[in-house]
Amino acid sequence: MVAMGFMQSIKVCLSKYVVFSGRATRSEYWWFVLFVVLSSIVLAVLDQTIFGTNPDTGESANVLNSGFQLAVFLPMLAVGWRRLHDTGRPGWYLLLPLALGLATMIALLSGVAVFSALESGVDDPEALRGPAAFLGLTGMIVVWGLQLVLSIMMIWWLTRPSQEGDNAYGPPAV
């Protein structure tokens, strides 16, 4: 297996825009990640230069960078999926941090709704604010820890060497 170069990685990843089957080498994945990061930095600078900043918020319009991020979302997901396949893991593992984020949002919104409903049914709603804050803070600490562990695991998996020979996801990437 020969390591893929920067330009070749970009070409392969963009030509396999939504290909989630097969395998991707470490060099294919990480060169494409570098391309996305560098392009995002350049586009952020261009956004700042071309569109300036909002005087009220101090933020720049993110027109070019947002469009680029939207355009490379599927290729990044696909190459990460294939990269996990190359290490012998299912590609859907890449969705675990996203799933945790969605579950956290649902839990937070449900908690707010439950405590709002409870507040209307008690004589002293202030008495519920302490437990609500404690549960919210504890939940956020737990989720933060889980997200940290998932992020470290994901980086670990994406940096692992390719499995030798064929695996459940096909022959080694070339």
Side-chain angles (χ1 to χ4, degrees), residues 43-69:
L43 290 172
V45 170
L46 283 173
D47 275 335
Q48 174 75 27
T49 305
I50 295 170
F51 301 108
T53 58
N54 181 339
D56 297 333
T57 63
E59 295 178 7
S60 65
N62 238 353
V63 177
L64 301 174
N65 199 11
S66 295
F68 175 74
Q69 292 297 324

PDB file of all heavy atoms in Angstrom, residues 43-69:
ATOM      1  N   LEU A  43     -10.779  30.664   3.572  1.00  0.00           N
ATOM      2  CA  LEU A  43     -12.110  31.210   3.298  1.00  0.00           C
ATOM      3  C   LEU A  43     -12.600  32.110   4.428  1.00  0.00           C
ATOM      4  O   LEU A  43     -13.305  33.095   4.174  1.00  0.00           O
ATOM      5  CB  LEU A  43     -13.098  30.078   3.025  1.00  0.00           C
ATOM      6  CG  LEU A  43     -12.863  29.359   1.698  1.00  0.00           C
ATOM      7  CD1 LEU A  43     -13.734  28.132   1.588  1.00  0.00           C
ATOM      8  CD2 LEU A  43     -13.091  30.297   0.523  1.00  0.00           C
ATOM      9  N   ALA A  44     -12.227  31.825   5.661  1.00  0.00           N
ATOM     10  CA  ALA A  44     -12.593  32.704   6.779  1.00  0.00           C
ATOM     11  C   ALA A  44     -11.923  34.065   6.621  1.00  0.00           C
ATOM     12  O   ALA A  44     -12.546  35.106   6.859  1.00  0.00           O
ATOM     13  CB  ALA A  44     -12.219  32.064   8.109  1.00  0.00           C
ATOM     14  N   VAL A  45     -10.658  34.049   6.204  1.00  0.00           N
ATOM     15  CA  VAL A  45      -9.942  35.315   5.963  1.00  0.00           C
ATOM     16  C   VAL A  45     -10.584  36.067   4.797  1.00  0.00           C
ATOM     17  O   VAL A  45     -10.793  37.284   4.865  1.00  0.00           O
ATOM     18  CB  VAL A  45      -8.436  35.050   5.714  1.00  0.00           C
ATOM     19  CG1 VAL A  45      -7.734  36.302   5.226  1.00  0.00           C
ATOM     20  CG2 VAL A  45      -7.776  34.516   6.980  1.00  0.00           C
ATOM     21  N   LEU A  46     -10.933  35.344   3.731  1.00  0.00           N
ATOM     22  CA  LEU A  46     -11.595  35.983   2.591  1.00  0.00           C
ATOM     23  C   LEU A  46     -12.958  36.550   2.979  1.00  0.00           C
ATOM     24  O   LEU A  46     -13.322  37.645   2.543  1.00  0.00           O
ATOM     25  CB  LEU A  46     -11.753  34.991   1.433  1.00  0.00           C
ATOM     26  CG  LEU A  46     -10.508  34.712   0.605  1.00  0.00           C
ATOM     27  CD1 LEU A  46     -10.765  33.598  -0.400  1.00  0.00           C
ATOM     28  CD2 LEU A  46     -10.059  35.977  -0.103  1.00  0.00           C
ATOM     29  N   ASP A  47     -13.709  35.803   3.764  1.00  0.00           N
ATOM     30  CA  ASP A  47     -15.001  36.309   4.250  1.00  0.00           C
ATOM     31  C   ASP A  47     -14.813  37.624   4.996  1.00  0.00           C
ATOM     32  O   ASP A  47     -15.561  38.577   4.784  1.00  0.00           O
ATOM     33  CB  ASP A  47     -15.667  35.280   5.184  1.00  0.00           C
ATOM     34  CG  ASP A  47     -16.466  34.222   4.453  1.00  0.00           C
ATOM     35  OD1 ASP A  47     -16.915  34.480   3.320  1.00  0.00           O
ATOM     36  OD2 ASP A  47     -16.643  33.130   5.018  1.00  0.00           O
ATOM     37  N   GLN A  48     -13.821  37.654   5.877  1.00  0.00           N
ATOM     38  CA  GLN A  48     -13.528  38.865   6.658  1.00  0.00           C
ATOM     39  C   GLN A  48     -13.142  40.019   5.732  1.00  0.00           C
ATOM     40  O   GLN A  48     -13.599  41.140   5.893  1.00  0.00           O
ATOM     41  CB  GLN A  48     -12.397  38.562   7.650  1.00  0.00           C
ATOM     42  CG  GLN A  48     -11.892  39.742   8.419  1.00  0.00           C
ATOM     43  CD  GLN A  48     -12.845  40.178   9.501  1.00  0.00           C
ATOM     44  OE1 GLN A  48     -13.603  39.380  10.007  1.00  0.00           O
ATOM     45  NE2 GLN A  48     -12.818  41.451   9.839  1.00  0.00           N
ATOM     46  N   THR A  49     -12.301  39.722   4.743  1.00  0.00           N
ATOM     47  CA  THR A  49     -11.810  40.748   3.829  1.00  0.00           C
ATOM     48  C   THR A  49     -12.916  41.279   2.924  1.00  0.00           C
ATOM     49  O   THR A  49     -13.051  42.490   2.747  1.00  0.00           O
ATOM     50  CB  THR A  49     -10.659  40.188   2.965  1.00  0.00           C
ATOM     51  OG1 THR A  49      -9.658  39.677   3.836  1.00  0.00           O
ATOM     52  CG2 THR A  49     -10.075  41.248   2.069  1.00  0.00           C
ATOM     53  N   ILE A  50     -13.686  40.367   2.347  1.00  0.00           N
ATOM     54  CA  ILE A  50     -14.704  40.762   1.372  1.00  0.00           C
ATOM     55  C   ILE A  50     -15.937  41.359   2.041  1.00  0.00           C
ATOM     56  O   ILE A  50     -16.441  42.399   1.633  1.00  0.00           O
ATOM     57  CB  ILE A  50     -15.106  39.559   0.492  1.00  0.00           C
ATOM     58  CG1 ILE A  50     -13.920  39.107  -0.357  1.00  0.00           C
ATOM     59  CG2 ILE A  50     -16.311  39.888  -0.382  1.00  0.00           C
ATOM     60  CD1 ILE A  50     -14.138  37.779  -1.072  1.00  0.00           C
ATOM     61  N   PHE A  51     -16.432  40.707   3.075  1.00  0.00           N
ATOM     62  CA  PHE A  51     -17.711  41.100   3.667  1.00  0.00           C
ATOM     63  C   PHE A  51     -17.572  41.936   4.939  1.00  0.00           C
ATOM     64  O   PHE A  51     -18.557  42.470   5.429  1.00  0.00           O
ATOM     65  CB  PHE A  51     -18.559  39.858   3.966  1.00  0.00           C
ATOM     66  CG  PHE A  51     -18.840  39.040   2.736  1.00  0.00           C
ATOM     67  CD1 PHE A  51     -18.216  37.819   2.547  1.00  0.00           C
ATOM     68  CD2 PHE A  51     -19.703  39.499   1.756  1.00  0.00           C
ATOM     69  CE1 PHE A  51     -18.460  37.069   1.414  1.00  0.00           C
ATOM     70  CE2 PHE A  51     -19.953  38.754   0.616  1.00  0.00           C
ATOM     71  CZ  PHE A  51     -19.328  37.530   0.449  1.00  0.00           C
ATOM     72  N   GLY A  52     -16.358  42.032   5.480  1.00  0.00           N
ATOM     73  CA  GLY A  52     -16.147  42.835   6.678  1.00  0.00           C
ATOM     74  C   GLY A  52     -16.818  42.226   7.901  1.00  0.00           C
ATOM     75  O   GLY A  52     -17.170  41.056   7.914  1.00  0.00           O
ATOM     76  N   THR A  53     -16.981  43.066   8.918  1.00  0.00           N
ATOM     77  CA  THR A  53     -17.605  42.590  10.156  1.00  0.00           C
ATOM     78  C   THR A  53     -18.870  43.382  10.430  1.00  0.00           C
ATOM     79  O   THR A  53     -19.002  44.535  10.026  1.00  0.00           O
ATOM     80  CB  THR A  53     -16.656  42.740  11.362  1.00  0.00           C
ATOM     81  OG1 THR A  53     -16.281  44.110  11.481  1.00  0.00           O
ATOM     82  CG2 THR A  53     -15.428  41.888  11.213  1.00  0.00           C
ATOM     83  N   ASN A  54     -19.761  42.771  11.157  1.00  0.00           N
ATOM     84  CA  ASN A  54     -20.980  43.426  11.603  1.00  0.00           C
ATOM     85  C   ASN A  54     -20.589  44.340  12.764  1.00  0.00           C
ATOM     86  O   ASN A  54     -20.080  43.864  13.772  1.00  0.00           O
ATOM     87  CB  ASN A  54     -21.993  42.374  12.047  1.00  0.00           C
ATOM     88  CG  ASN A  54     -23.302  42.974  12.492  1.00  0.00           C
ATOM     89  OD1 ASN A  54     -23.394  44.142  12.844  1.00  0.00           O
ATOM     90  ND2 ASN A  54     -24.328  42.141  12.476  1.00  0.00           N
ATOM     91  N   PRO A  55     -20.837  45.642  12.642  1.00  0.00           N
ATOM     92  CA  PRO A  55     -20.417  46.550  13.715  1.00  0.00           C
ATOM     93  C   PRO A  55     -21.116  46.282  15.047  1.00  0.00           C
ATOM     94  O   PRO A  55     -20.569  46.568  16.109  1.00  0.00           O
ATOM     95  CB  PRO A  55     -20.769  47.949  13.190  1.00  0.00           C
ATOM     96  CG  PRO A  55     -21.495  47.758  11.916  1.00  0.00           C
ATOM     97  CD  PRO A  55     -21.453  46.333  11.529  1.00  0.00           C
ATOM     98  N   ASP A  56     -22.312  45.717  15.007  1.00  0.00           N
ATOM     99  CA  ASP A  56     -23.049  45.453  16.249  1.00  0.00           C
ATOM    100  C   ASP A  56     -22.492  44.244  16.995  1.00  0.00           C
ATOM    101  O   ASP A  56     -22.391  44.256  18.215  1.00  0.00           O
ATOM    102  CB  ASP A  56     -24.532  45.227  15.953  1.00  0.00           C
ATOM    103  CG  ASP A  56     -25.192  46.457  15.363  1.00  0.00           C
ATOM    104  OD1 ASP A  56     -24.714  47.573  15.653  1.00  0.00           O
ATOM    105  OD2 ASP A  56     -26.166  46.301  14.603  1.00  0.00           O
ATOM    106  N   THR A  57     -22.159  43.185  16.253  1.00  0.00           N
ATOM    107  CA  THR A  57     -21.716  41.945  16.901  1.00  0.00           C
ATOM    108  C   THR A  57     -20.212  41.724  16.808  1.00  0.00           C
ATOM    109  O   THR A  57     -19.657  40.938  17.563  1.00  0.00           O
ATOM    110  CB  THR A  57     -22.420  40.724  16.281  1.00  0.00           C
ATOM    111  OG1 THR A  57     -22.051  40.618  14.906  1.00  0.00           O
ATOM    112  CG2 THR A  57     -23.928  40.831  16.421  1.00  0.00           C
ATOM    113  N   GLY A  58     -19.553  42.359  15.854  1.00  0.00           N
ATOM    114  CA  GLY A  58     -18.118  42.149  15.660  1.00  0.00           C
ATOM    115  C   GLY A  58     -17.798  40.867  14.915  1.00  0.00           C
ATOM    116  O   GLY A  58     -16.644  40.504  14.764  1.00  0.00           O
ATOM    117  N   GLU A  59     -18.822  40.181  14.438  1.00  0.00           N
ATOM    118  CA  GLU A  59     -18.605  38.934  13.700  1.00  0.00           C
ATOM    119  C   GLU A  59     -18.619  39.209  12.205  1.00  0.00           C
ATOM    120  O   GLU A  59     -19.330  40.080  11.719  1.00  0.00           O
ATOM    121  CB  GLU A  59     -19.706  37.926  14.035  1.00  0.00           C
ATOM    122  CG  GLU A  59     -19.697  37.476  15.472  1.00  0.00           C
ATOM    123  CD  GLU A  59     -20.836  36.517  15.785  1.00  0.00           C
ATOM    124  OE1 GLU A  59     -21.544  36.099  14.852  1.00  0.00           O
ATOM    125  OE2 GLU A  59     -21.011  36.199  16.965  1.00  0.00           O
ATOM    126  N   SER A  60     -17.831  38.406  11.470  1.00  0.00           N
ATOM    127  CA  SER A  60     -17.827  38.559  10.024  1.00  0.00           C
ATOM    128  C   SER A  60     -18.890  37.657   9.413  1.00  0.00           C
ATOM    129  O   SER A  60     -19.288  36.653  10.001  1.00  0.00           O
ATOM    130  CB  SER A  60     -16.455  38.206   9.450  1.00  0.00           C
ATOM    131  OG  SER A  60     -16.177  36.842   9.659  1.00  0.00           O
ATOM    132  N   ALA A  61     -19.330  38.037   8.228  1.00  0.00           N
ATOM    133  CA  ALA A  61     -20.267  37.188   7.490  1.00  0.00           C
ATOM    134  C   ALA A  61     -19.495  35.942   7.063  1.00  0.00           C
ATOM    135  O   ALA A  61     -18.362  36.020   6.635  1.00  0.00           O
ATOM    136  CB  ALA A  61     -20.798  37.939   6.276  1.00  0.00           C
ATOM    137  N   ASN A  62     -20.107  34.820   7.216  1.00  0.00           N
ATOM    138  CA  ASN A  62     -19.434  33.550   6.936  1.00  0.00           C
ATOM    139  C   ASN A  62     -19.976  32.932   5.657  1.00  0.00           C
ATOM    140  O   ASN A  62     -20.285  31.747   5.628  1.00  0.00           O
ATOM    141  CB  ASN A  62     -19.648  32.601   8.116  1.00  0.00           C
ATOM    142  CG  ASN A  62     -18.351  32.144   8.713  1.00  0.00           C
ATOM    143  OD1 ASN A  62     -17.284  32.420   8.191  1.00  0.00           O
ATOM    144  ND2 ASN A  62     -18.457  31.444   9.823  1.00  0.00           N
ATOM    145  N   VAL A  63     -20.094  33.699   4.596  1.00  0.00           N
ATOM    146  CA  VAL A  63     -20.731  33.241   3.371  1.00  0.00           C
ATOM    147  C   VAL A  63     -19.901  32.163   2.678  1.00  0.00           C
ATOM    148  O   VAL A  63     -20.391  31.063   2.421  1.00  0.00           O
ATOM    149  CB  VAL A  63     -20.972  34.438   2.415  1.00  0.00           C
ATOM    150  CG1 VAL A  63     -21.572  33.976   1.107  1.00  0.00           C
ATOM    151  CG2 VAL A  63     -21.830  35.480   3.083  1.00  0.00           C
ATOM    152  N   LEU A  64     -18.662  32.469   2.362  1.00  0.00           N
ATOM    153  CA  LEU A  64     -17.812  31.525   1.617  1.00  0.00           C
ATOM    154  C   LEU A  64     -17.488  30.289   2.444  1.00  0.00           C
ATOM    155  O   LEU A  64     -17.596  29.156   1.967  1.00  0.00           O
ATOM    156  CB  LEU A  64     -16.516  32.212   1.178  1.00  0.00           C
ATOM    157  CG  LEU A  64     -16.677  33.439   0.277  1.00  0.00           C
ATOM    158  CD1 LEU A  64     -15.325  34.102   0.048  1.00  0.00           C
ATOM    159  CD2 LEU A  64     -17.311  33.043  -1.037  1.00  0.00           C
ATOM    160  N   ASN A  65     -17.101  30.490   3.689  1.00  0.00           N
ATOM    161  CA  ASN A  65     -16.718  29.372   4.549  1.00  0.00           C
ATOM    162  C   ASN A  65     -17.907  28.449   4.820  1.00  0.00           C
ATOM    163  O   ASN A  65     -17.775  27.231   4.807  1.00  0.00           O
ATOM    164  CB  ASN A  65     -16.112  29.876   5.849  1.00  0.00           C
ATOM    165  CG  ASN A  65     -15.306  28.820   6.560  1.00  0.00           C
ATOM    166  OD1 ASN A  65     -15.017  27.756   6.024  1.00  0.00           O
ATOM    167  ND2 ASN A  65     -14.948  29.104   7.789  1.00  0.00           N
ATOM    168  N   SER A  66     -19.071  29.031   5.067  1.00  0.00           N
ATOM    169  CA  SER A  66     -20.257  28.209   5.312  1.00  0.00           C
ATOM    170  C   SER A  66     -20.622  27.384   4.082  1.00  0.00           C
ATOM    171  O   SER A  66     -20.972  26.204   4.192  1.00  0.00           O
ATOM    172  CB  SER A  66     -21.445  29.089   5.710  1.00  0.00           C
ATOM    173  OG  SER A  66     -21.190  29.711   6.928  1.00  0.00           O
ATOM    174  N   GLY A  67     -20.550  28.003   2.920  1.00  0.00           N
ATOM    175  CA  GLY A  67     -20.830  27.274   1.675  1.00  0.00           C
ATOM    176  C   GLY A  67     -19.848  26.135   1.468  1.00  0.00           C
ATOM    177  O   GLY A  67     -20.232  25.020   1.072  1.00  0.00           O
ATOM    178  N   PHE A  68     -18.571  26.400   1.757  1.00  0.00           N
ATOM    179  CA  PHE A  68     -17.554  25.355   1.621  1.00  0.00           C
ATOM    180  C   PHE A  68     -17.805  24.220   2.600  1.00  0.00           C
ATOM    181  O   PHE A  68     -17.733  23.044   2.240  1.00  0.00           O
ATOM    182  CB  PHE A  68     -16.155  25.955   1.844  1.00  0.00           C
ATOM    183  CG  PHE A  68     -15.059  24.935   1.846  1.00  0.00           C
ATOM    184  CD1 PHE A  68     -14.637  24.351   0.669  1.00  0.00           C
ATOM    185  CD2 PHE A  68     -14.455  24.554   3.038  1.00  0.00           C
ATOM    186  CE1 PHE A  68     -13.627  23.393   0.666  1.00  0.00           C
ATOM    187  CE2 PHE A  68     -13.450  23.604   3.048  1.00  0.00           C
ATOM    188  CZ  PHE A  68     -13.033  23.026   1.857  1.00  0.00           C
ATOM    189  N   GLN A  69     -18.099  24.556   3.856  1.00  0.00           N
ATOM    190  CA  GLN A  69     -18.357  23.526   4.871  1.00  0.00           C
ATOM    191  C   GLN A  69     -19.550  22.661   4.472  1.00  0.00           C
ATOM    192  O   GLN A  69     -19.523  21.446   4.667  1.00  0.00           O
ATOM    193  CB  GLN A  69     -18.610  24.157   6.248  1.00  0.00           C
ATOM    194  CG  GLN A  69     -17.402  24.816   6.849  1.00  0.00           C
ATOM    195  CD  GLN A  69     -16.270  23.852   7.127  1.00  0.00           C
ATOM    196  OE1 GLN A  69     -16.493  22.717   7.496  1.00  0.00           O
ATOM    197  NE2 GLN A  69     -15.051  24.309   6.928  1.00  0.00           N
TER     198      GLN A  69
END
